[in-house]
Amino acid sequence: MRLLRIFLTSASVLMSQLAFADEAADQALRMLEVSNTRTQMEQLATQMLELQIQQKPMLAPYKETMSDFFHTYMGYEALKDDLVRVYTNAFTADELRQIADFQESEVGIKANRLLPQLSMEMAKIAMERISANVDELDAMIQAETDRIRKLQSQ
């Protein structure tokens, strides 16, 4: 009889943990839906592709092929389970519910609409800054190469 109680208690604990995990996963999915993650991921993949082609125009003939590749491996459906896992590892079900509630608010909707565009603008600024100063990086790399060679020759 004691063994049966232990088994039932263990089973009850396991079931409650599974229910909690399901609730967290459900809240993560809700958060992904209300934050318009599917559309944002599609836009991000398209913007990344455009940026790649802008930086390397010789890739232009392969735009459609690259787009198919990005959408296959970076698309929402391909990453949805991983996204849920990442969010449920980082947040409780209640926290995910609060995030989703915020994202359904007026400010949350605005943030969801503007943040992807702002992120791309920031990435573009960073790339422009790097491009404008690439000569300095080349000089730094050359100086470090010279230093390493000098050490190796000693």
Side-chain angles (χ1 to χ4, degrees), residues 73-140:
Y73 294 103
M74 290 180 55
Y76 178 78
E77 288 302 322
L79 297 176
K80 180 171 65 174
D81 292 341
D82 295 317
L83 293 171
V84 167
R85 180 181 43 76
V86 167
Y87 281 108
T88 56
N89 285 341
F91 299 102
T92 66
D94 187 54
E95 290 168 334
L96 290 164
R97 184 181 303 97
Q98 290 178 48
I99 293 168
D101 289 346
F102 166 75
Q103 290 175 332
E104 288 179 318
S105 73
E106 189 175 322
V107 173
I109 291 168
K110 181 177 181 178
N112 285 331
R113 187 180 75 247
L114 295 178
L115 286 176
Q117 177 185 345
L118 296 175
S119 294
M120 286 304 295
E121 287 179 30
M122 289 184 281
K124 185 177 178 184
I125 290 168
M127 291 302 295
E128 288 170 355
R129 185 85 37 95
I130 289 169
S131 293
N133 295 290
V134 75
D135 292 340
E136 181 180 344
L137 176 60
D138 289 341
M140 292 168 70

Side-chain angles (χ1 to χ4, degrees), residues 15-31 84 87-88 91-98 100:
M15 294 298 279
S16 67
Q17 288 175 340
L18 290 174
F20 177 75
D22 286 345
E23 181 185 357
D26 289 345
Q27 290 301 322
L29 284 169
R30 174 177 169 244
M31 187 208 54
V84 167
Y87 281 108
T88 56
F91 299 102
T92 66
D94 187 54
E95 290 168 334
L96 290 164
R97 184 181 303 97
Q98 290 178 48

